[in-house]
Amino acid sequence: GIELPIQDIMREFRDGKEIYLPLQFNNDPVSWIVWQCKRINKNTNVLLGTDITEKMALEDTYEILVENAQDLIYKVNKDGEFQFLNNRFTNYLPLDKNSYVGKKLTDIVPESHQAEVAQYFNQQMEGQEKVSYFEFPILDKEGNMTWIGQYMTLLHEIGYNTRITGWLATGR
C-alpha cells in the first residue's frame, strides 16, 4: 500500500499550486508525483496527481548530454539575450556562464563585429531560415578574439510557424 502525506499536502494547499512528492509503491522504485491543487469552491478542493518520473529521467538525460557536450550550446531569445549556455562556455568566457543569462549575445563579441552579428541574426529571422551556419569572433578569457562557427536553429512559439521566440545554437 501507499501512504499519502495528506495532512502535509492540505497544509500546503493553494489554488493553482503544484506540490512535488516522491511516492513508493511496495518495493517498486520511487515515483515522483506532481499534485496540482484546484479549489472548486470554499467547500471543495481537488488534487490531481500526475506521475512525472519518466519526464524527470528524460530531463536528467537531456541535461547530462547538453552540459557535457564538447560543443558550445546556447539559446537566445528574439531580442538576442542569452537564455541558456552550457558548461563548455566556461572554457571560453571570463565569467561564470550563468552571469551571461539575460545579457545580449553581442556583449561577448568584439565591438568591431557586433553590428555584423546582429545583422546576421536579423536576416535569419526575417528570412524565416530554419537552420543556418555562421562564424563570428568572441572575446575569450584572456581578452583575445576567438572565432567560433555555429549552426543556428530558428525557434518558434509552439503551434505557430511565424512567431519566432529565438535561436538554439551549437558551435565550436
Side-chain angles (χ1 to χ4, degrees), residues 102-117:
K103 295 191 187 307
K104 297 268 189 190
L105 167 75
T106 51
D107 290 348
I108 67 169
V109 175
E111 197 172 320
S112 59
H113 289 81
Q114 289 178 356
E116 175 189 359
V117 170

Side-chain angles (χ1 to χ4, degrees), residues 136-156:
F136 63 92
I138 63 171
L139 293 172
D140 67 17
K141 285 182 175 185
E142 286 77 40
N144 298 319
M145 204 168 12
T146 300
W147 285 82
I148 62 169
Q150 65 177 14
Y151 286 96
M152 299 174 8
T153 302
L154 203 56
L155 301 175
H156 295 90

Side-chain angles (χ1 to χ4, degrees), residues 57-69 84 86-87:
L58 182 61
E59 288 173 357
D60 286 347
T61 300
Y62 168 80
E63 183 177 347
I64 289 167
L65 287 171
V66 170
E67 289 296 358
N68 295 298
F84 169 82
N86 74 341
N87 286 334

